[in-house]
Amino acid sequence: MHEISSRYCIKTESYERNENYPNSEGIEFVSDFFTGKIFMYFGFMKYLEIEFIVIQTGSDHTVIQDDLSVKALGGFIDKFLSERIIELKQLS
């Protein structure tokens, strides 16, 4: 579990696979300090979208990455969230 989830109370909503995105997974999260989503699609193309907005400053970080391997996915998301937690720590 990433440090971000242990430091902040987060309400989450998961995206489920459906007929339009049969190989998709994702999560949307909201707290008093930030909001964001992580969406992954692994069909005929590989696609990752991460969005993170810090409410207090209006800071908006969005990353769209194509052709990311499953092996590299965890490290990519962890790096992105680690950079955001540094930003949140500076606000507190």
Side-chain angles (χ1 to χ4, degrees):
M1 187 79 36
H2 195 277
E3 184 182 352
I4 230 165
S5 63
S6 62
R7 286 183 54 106
Y8 299 95
C9 180
I10 302 171
K11 295 178 185 175
T12 62
E13 182 175 329
S14 295
Y15 302 112
E16 304 243 343
R17 296 171 189 203
N18 62 47
E19 61 188 43
N20 295 325
Y21 296 99
N23 298 313
S24 64
E25 296 180 25
I27 187 168
E28 185 171 5
F29 44 90
V30 179
S31 82
D32 293 338
F33 302 99
F34 57 85
T35 184
K37 69 177 178 178
I38 299 172
F39 178 80
M40 300 167 284
Y41 175 74
F42 288 99
F44 63 93
M45 66 175 215
K46 295 169 182 63
Y47 174 84
L48 169 70
E49 179 179 342
I50 305 176
E51 182 178 28
F52 195 97
I53 300 169
V54 179
I55 295 168
Q56 184 176 345
T57 63
S59 173
D60 184 353
H61 303 275
T62 302
V63 173
I64 297 173
Q65 181 75 38
D66 291 331
D67 295 325
L68 189 65
S69 73
V70 174
K71 186 176 180 181
L73 184 65
F76 190 86
I77 294 171
D78 187 60
K79 181 179 182 292
F80 180 89
L81 293 177
S82 293
E83 291 168 356
R84 304 294 71 83
I85 195 128
I86 290 169
E87 182 178 356
L88 290 168
K89 285 179 180 179
Q90 293 172 347
L91 295 176
S92 55

